[in-house]
Amino acid sequence: MDKNQKHRKITFYKNYFQDFFNKQNKKVKAKIVWTFDLVEDLHRVPETYLKHIENTDGLYEIRVQLGSDIFRIFCFFDQGQLVVLANGFQKKTQKTPKKEIEMALKIKEEYESEK
């Protein structure tokens, strides 16, 4: 297998993710980009970085940690390959806020209805 061949391709849907990304500082942005590379490159991505969200229909979170700051970026697959990024947020509590998950699911629905 070609070392440069990626297992997944991350794509962005509208500006949901970019709006979140643009608000972050340089270090956080770099860590997010590093994590995206990992998600694209690894055949099996450890749950540390990519995890299915329980009780959702195909919603995942890309998990980014920088020091004590934790960020989550919601995503979902399209045709098994594409990781389409929805909203992101900084995690301040143990549990992922329901409103963030609901927003991500809404974005996913919007995406699927436009296809």
Side-chain angles (χ1 to χ4, degrees):
M1 179 157 163
D2 179 7
K3 190 183 159 341
N4 298 325
Q5 192 182 343
K6 296 189 174 298
H7 287 282
R8 275 163 225 90
K9 177 163 173 30
I10 291 180
T11 57
F12 304 101
Y13 177 57
K14 296 196 171 161
N15 288 328
Y16 297 112
F17 170 73
Q18 276 89 335
D19 292 345
F20 160 77
F21 187 77
N22 292 336
K23 291 182 196 129
Q24 307 310 319
N25 69 41
K26 217 163 76 189
K27 276 189 168 150
V28 171
K29 284 180 178 170
K31 186 67 188 255
I32 290 172
V33 170
W34 179 88
T35 308
F36 284 0
D37 285 344
L38 198 86
V39 168
E40 286 189 324
D41 293 343
L42 290 181
H43 179 60
R44 288 187 65 82
V45 182
E47 275 202 351
T48 327
Y49 300 110
L50 183 67
K51 187 173 190 287
H52 179 255
I53 297 174
E54 281 173 23
N55 307 320
T56 67
D57 179 20
L59 191 64
Y60 288 78
E61 58 182 13
I62 292 177
R63 313 169 106 192
V64 179
Q65 188 160 357
L66 185 68
S68 59
D69 292 333
I70 298 172
F71 300 89
R72 294 289 184 259
I73 298 143
F74 291 112
C75 58
F76 47 94
F77 290 89
D78 184 8
Q79 296 163 348
Q81 261 312 6
L82 219 55
V83 178
V84 179
L85 294 182
N87 48 324
F89 70 100
Q90 183 168 1
K91 200 166 167 190
K92 306 250 198 258
T93 58
Q94 200 56 46
K95 232 165 131 33
T96 298
K98 210 168 156 57
K99 72 172 184 27
E100 295 289 351
I101 293 175
E102 282 164 4
M103 169 143 174
L105 287 169
K106 207 181 232 133
I107 294 168
K108 184 174 181 283
E109 250 169 61
E110 189 185 329
Y111 172 84
E112 286 165 353
S113 70
E114 285 182 7
K115 273 179 39 178

